């Protein structure tokens, strides 16, 4: 297992490099780059020439959304290109970026005038909180519920829980988030939960127990919205996996030998049925951690990585865009490796290392 893990880690390097190459040149070819964003911003303020000095100029705090470089003084364009590093050829910019990323140096944001790594550190607690707790609760609910539905297939329990699953599958999480705000966060009825932030303003002054309570008080509704919108698929996957295994010959043989239903279910079926569920864990975790929580972050005023990456894409803030892409890809590759290693722990018959040779 150790040799296989080392080979997979070494394979992550060319995989990560290839993904960055493709996305770098796609993003570079997209219209409305940082220079156009800055020009549109300066035009909107009416000070196109005064905001950029011969020494490199200032950076704006926000960005416009339209391309505005036509008809601009070439000298001004040259200064803006130098300001954002576009005075160098694309290949040279790419290799500079690769050297920096090898040491996790993501540079400075074009439009926020802050270190990208500091921005990510500020947003990471929100995304980790939403991603980890949502994934944990989704698996905690979906796996037992899926097993119960498979064992009681066709019963009233299966029918009624299927109705709940269909509702959860059909309605996106952000709509549940709005409903929860209306009901419990001062929208129209009760004001039991806060509507903004991950913790209260006086959180640092609270005791340990009060800090824990305050933290869970703030994330309760966002996590609940994500769980309601995300447990349906995993529940049905678990049920279908167990149904497929229950109907196989080895289960019939185990029952014929006089094994108890519990021993058959959890001693034989569970191990095989869980392989598909484990296979879906990396994509589920990364999706919740970085993309699925975007609208929920906006609705509950939680400033996480999803919102940061979305705003960077609108503003063409390349350092943030490439840094978040780099982190997303790296986390995805690591989670895939963990998934394969978990495969081998759940079912020792699976040996990826032998299969590769």
């Amino acid at each position: 297992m150790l040799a296989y893990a080392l080979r997979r880690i070494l394979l992550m390097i060319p995989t990560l490099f290839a993904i960055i190459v493709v996305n770098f040149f796609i993003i570079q070819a997209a219209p409305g780059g940082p220079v156009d964003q800055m020009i549109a911003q300066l035009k909107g303020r009416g000070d196109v020439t005064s905001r950029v000095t011969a020494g490199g100029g200032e950076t704006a705090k926000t960005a416009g959304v339209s391309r505005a470089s036509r008809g601009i003084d070439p000298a001004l364009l040259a200064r803006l290109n130098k300001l954002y590093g576009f005075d160098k050829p694309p290949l040279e910019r790419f290799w500079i970026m690769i050297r920096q990323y090898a040491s996790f140096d993501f540079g400075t944001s074009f439009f926020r005038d802050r270190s990208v790594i500091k921005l990510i550190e500020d947003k990471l607690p929100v995304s980790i909180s939403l991603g980890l707790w949502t994934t944990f609760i989704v698996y905690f609910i979906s796996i037992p519920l899926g097993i119960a539905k498979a064992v009681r297939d066709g019963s009233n329990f299966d029918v009624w829980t299927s109705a709940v699953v269909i509702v959860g599958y059909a309605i996106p999480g952000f709509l549940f988030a709005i409903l929860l705000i209306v009901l419990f966060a001062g929208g129209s009825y009760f004001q039991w939960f806060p509507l903004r932030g991950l913790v209260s303003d006086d959180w640092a002054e609270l005791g340990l127990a009060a800090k824990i309570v305050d933290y869970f008080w703030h994330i309760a509704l966002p996590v609940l919205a994500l769980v309601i919108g995300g447990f349906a698929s995993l529940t049905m996957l678990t049920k279908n996996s167990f149904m497929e295994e229950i109907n196989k010959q080895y289960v019939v043989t185990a029952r014929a030998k006089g094994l108890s239903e519990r021993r058959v279910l959890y001693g034989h079926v569970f191990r095989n049925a869980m392989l598909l569920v484990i296979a879906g864990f990396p994509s589920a975790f990364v999706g919740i951690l970085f993309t699925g929580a975007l609208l929920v972050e906006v609705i509950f005023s939680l400033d996480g990585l999803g919102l940061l990456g979305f705003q960077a894409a609108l503003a063409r803030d390349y350092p943030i865009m490439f840094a978040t892409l780099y982190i997303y890809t790296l986390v995805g590759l690591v989670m895939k490796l963990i998934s394969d290693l978990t495969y081998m722990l759940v079912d020792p018959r699976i040996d990826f290392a032998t299969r590769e040779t």
Side-chain angles (χ1 to χ4, degrees):
M1 182 182 294
L2 179 60
Y4 171 74
L6 290 175
R7 286 201 298 271
R8 284 291 301 273
I9 292 172
L10 292 176
L11 283 173
M12 287 182 186
I13 298 175
T15 303
L16 186 62
F17 179 79
I19 292 173
I20 293 176
V21 168
V22 172
N23 284 277
F24 177 85
F25 288 102
I26 289 176
I27 293 175
Q28 295 290 321
V35 173
D36 291 327
Q37 299 290 323
M38 173 62 82
I39 291 174
Q41 170 71 15
L42 298 181
K43 274 187 172 182
R45 294 186 178 185
D47 53 358
V48 177
T49 57
S50 63
R51 294 283 291 177
V52 182
T53 65
E58 299 178 39
T59 59
K61 300 300 180 184
T62 57
V65 294
S66 62
R67 185 167 184 168
S69 60
R70 295 179 182 176
I72 300 300
D73 182 8
L76 174 61
L77 284 176
R79 289 197 293 271
L80 285 174
N81 284 325
K82 184 176 181 180
L83 175 65
Y84 294 121
F86 291 101
D87 56 331
K88 300 180 180 65
L91 283 177
E92 184 177 350
R93 296 201 308 272
F94 174 76
W95 287 116
I96 291 174
M97 184 185 76
I98 290 297
R99 288 197 299 269
Q100 292 175 337
Y101 280 23
S103 59
F104 287 88
D105 178 10
F106 301 121
T108 302
S109 167
F110 285 163
F111 298 104
R112 293 175 181 254
D113 200 22
R114 287 188 60 193
S115 167
V116 173
I117 193 66
K118 292 296 183 183
L119 285 170
I120 292 175
E121 288 176 358
D122 291 343
K123 315 301 181 186
L124 203 55
V126 173
S127 295
I128 290 178
S129 295
L130 293 178
L132 285 179
W133 286 114
T134 301
T135 305
F136 173 76
I137 295 174
V138 164
Y139 270 73
F140 183 78
I141 293 174
S142 298
I143 293 178
L145 181 58
I147 295 173
K149 286 175 63 63
V151 174
R152 299 172 176 85
D153 183 46
S155 66
N156 289 334
F157 173 83
D158 183 39
V159 172
W160 286 107
T161 54
S162 294
V164 175
V165 168
I166 291 172
V167 172
Y169 185 81
I171 303 179
F174 73 89
L175 288 182
F176 280 114
I178 296 173
L179 177 62
L180 292 173
I181 289 175
V182 171
L183 294 177
F184 304 115
S188 298
Y189 297 94
F190 307 103
Q191 194 168 1
W192 293 346
F193 295 91
L195 187 57
R196 183 180 300 275
L198 191 63
V199 293
S200 300
D201 294 335
D202 60 345
W203 188 78
E205 303 172 3
L206 301 175
L208 178 60
K211 284 182 177 180
I212 295 174
V213 172
D214 183 78
Y215 168 75
F216 283 107
W217 183 46
H218 278 76
I219 68 170
L221 293 187
V223 169
L224 180 59
L226 290 170
V227 168
I228 293 174
F231 83 101
S233 298
L234 183 59
T235 299
M236 296 309 299
L237 175 63
T238 304
K239 177 190 175 181
N240 293 335
S241 298
F242 268 78
M243 289 292 296
E244 182 179 354
E245 293 297 324
I246 286 173
N247 294 323
K248 288 186 176 179
Q249 183 62 41
Y250 75 89
V251 176
V252 177
T253 303
R255 287 171 175 165
K257 289 181 178 179
L259 296 180
S260 66
E261 190 66 21
R262 184 179 182 85
R263 178 72 180 277
V264 171
L265 186 62
Y266 293 101
H268 297 275
V269 175
F270 183 84
R271 183 179 63 182
N272 296 322
M274 281 296 98
L275 294 178
L276 284 177
V277 177
I278 293 171
F281 177 78
S283 59
F285 177 76
V286 174
I288 292 172
L289 184 60
F290 295 118
T291 58
L294 172 59
L295 291 176
V296 173
E297 286 180 11
V298 174
I299 292 170
F300 287 99
S301 299
L302 296 172
D303 197 3
L305 278 181
L307 183 59
L308 176 67
F310 177 72
Q311 292 173 341
L314 292 180
R316 299 297 193 273
D317 198 334
Y318 286 173
I320 295 179
M321 291 175 64
F322 287 122
T324 52
L325 172 68
Y326 182 84
I327 292 174
Y328 296 168
T329 305
L330 186 60
V331 171
L333 292 173
V334 171
M335 293 305 300
K336 183 60 178 175
L337 173 60
I338 293 175
S339 173
D340 288 346
L341 295 179
T342 308
Y343 253 44
M344 298 168 68
L345 292 174
V346 172
D347 190 347
R349 295 173 301 173
I350 296 178
D351 190 349
F352 291 108
T354 304
R355 188 173 297 180
E356 286 185 351
T357 59

